[in-house]
Amino acid sequence: MATNPIYKVIFYNQDKIYELYAKAIYQSEMYGFIEVEEFVFGERSQMIVDPAEEKLKLEFNGVARSYIPMHSIVRIDEVEKEGVGKIVESGGTASNVSKFPSMARPVIKTPDSTD
């Protein structure tokens, strides 16, 4: 691997899957979080603009360090060079559909049960 590694971090955030690249990643002093620093985005000299990566750039514009909860992390890979960061919809239900609130199941007592 390279002397200056690049990490690909994949994590869940608000029903979306984020894939981004960073030069520094480590366990935070805040319990249960991973710190991600020095984000890496594609070259600005590219002629083609990828809307998915542009959305990611806008969201992390001005962010020096991001704290990601460990339970949101899907995968962290050390890679040789950065790829294209992106935000994609999770494979679950659509974001405009919410789970109907449910009540606890009633306890049914049978004649032979003892209390």
Side-chain angles (χ1 to χ4, degrees), residues 9 18 24 40 42 84 105 107 115:
V9 182
Y18 284 60
V40 179
V84 177
R105 290 177 38 190
V107 177
D115 280 16

Side-chain angles (χ1 to χ4, degrees), residues 6-114:
I6 295 176
Y7 300 97
K8 177 171 73 170
V9 182
I10 303 171
F11 63 96
Y12 285 107
N13 183 26
Q14 299 176 350
D15 295 330
K16 293 185 174 89
I17 299 174
Y18 284 60
E19 181 178 314
L20 56 85
Y21 293 84
K23 292 182 181 179
I25 181 169
Y26 45 91
Q27 186 171 346
S28 174
E29 291 180 5
M30 287 193 299
Y31 184 74
F33 286 85
I34 298 291
E35 289 186 39
V36 181
E37 295 181 343
E38 300 181 44
F39 299 104
V40 179
F41 296 106
E43 298 288 325
R44 292 213 182 259
S45 63
Q46 292 178 346
M47 295 297 288
I48 300 173
V49 176
D50 185 1
E53 189 174 35
E54 287 300 314
K55 185 176 178 182
L56 192 64
K57 283 181 189 179
L58 286 173
E59 183 160 342
F60 287 94
N61 184 27
V63 176
R65 177 181 302 130
S66 186
Y67 296 89
I68 302 171
M70 280 189 196
H71 65 272
S72 296
I73 301 285
V74 174
R75 183 176 177 155
I76 299 173
D77 293 327
E78 183 176 340
V79 295
E80 292 182 15
K81 63 179 189 172
E82 75 272 3
V84 177
K86 56 189 165 195
I87 302 173
V88 294
E89 291 291 328
S90 176
T93 59
S95 61
N96 61 349
V97 177
S98 60
K99 192 174 181 182
F100 190 77
S102 62
M103 297 180 355
R105 290 177 38 190
V107 177
I108 300 173
K109 294 186 179 187
T110 60
D112 58 319
S113 65
T114 58

